[in-house]
Amino acid sequence: MRLFCISIAWLAGIGIGRTVSLSSTQWAVLAGCSFLALLLFRRVPTSRLIFAAALSFSLGGLRYVTSIPEIDSDHIASYNDRGKKATIEGIIVASPDQRDTYTGLQIEALSLQVSEEEYTHPITGKFLAYASQFEEFD
């Protein structure tokens, strides 16, 4: 039953971490306070379970917050869903993934030019492109 409570607290921390905007530092402080309280009240079984669940909750929230990638304006993902055509230059970084109807290419982006602009933007990040299965790539 204790493991079940701690597991539910972990999942609740992930869920709350998704909805509440706390930084990783705040989640770590909450985890540290929970750990200290767990050490102080380790001889009282009920308090031990409550603070262990609080520690699990805060570690779940910390895990969620640290798993979210940082996307700035120089990242390829910041250009998603803009509704504009763009030309992307990059380097194929993995072997082509040959399928029955297409070839998947994992590409490290280097620059991007939006069709309405005259200049290119240096960018970072990887993306997956689907191409014809009969093409050759370098």
Side-chain angles (χ1 to χ4, degrees):
M1 186 67 178
R2 285 179 267 177
L3 183 59
F4 178 74
C5 290
I6 291 172
S7 299
I8 293 298
W10 170 267
L11 294 174
I14 292 172
I16 297 296
R18 190 172 176 183
T19 58
V20 176
S21 60
L22 293 177
S23 68
S24 58
T25 305
Q26 292 169 322
W27 281 108
V29 167
L30 184 60
C33 291
S34 299
F35 181 70
L36 287 175
L38 179 64
L39 288 178
L40 289 173
F41 295 101
R42 67 180 176 263
R43 302 214 190 278
V44 182
T46 307
S47 297
R48 185 173 52 217
L49 179 60
I50 290 170
F51 290 121
L55 177 62
S56 180
F57 173 81
S58 56
L59 289 176
L62 179 64
R63 171 65 178 100
Y64 177 77
V65 169
T66 57
S67 69
I68 298 172
E70 298 273 336
I71 297 176
D72 58 0
S73 63
D74 293 336
H75 196 276
I76 185 76
S78 67
Y79 290 91
N80 286 348
D81 299 326
R82 291 207 178 172
K84 297 179 182 178
K85 291 186 179 184
T87 303
I88 302 170
E89 289 187 28
I91 300 172
I92 299 173
V93 293
S95 298
D97 181 17
Q98 299 284 339
R99 301 294 173 116
D100 290 339
T101 58
Y102 67 89
T103 300
L105 300 170
Q106 187 177 3
I107 301 173
E108 177 77 35
L110 299 174
S111 66
L112 175 134
Q113 181 179 9
V114 179
S115 60
E116 300 156 354
E117 298 175 2
E118 295 179 10
Y119 56 93
T120 60
H121 304 276
I123 56 173
T124 60
K126 293 181 185 176
F127 67 97
L128 184 61
Y130 297 107
S132 171
Q133 63 181 347
F134 303 110
E135 300 274 336
E136 287 191 26
F137 305 99
D138 294 326

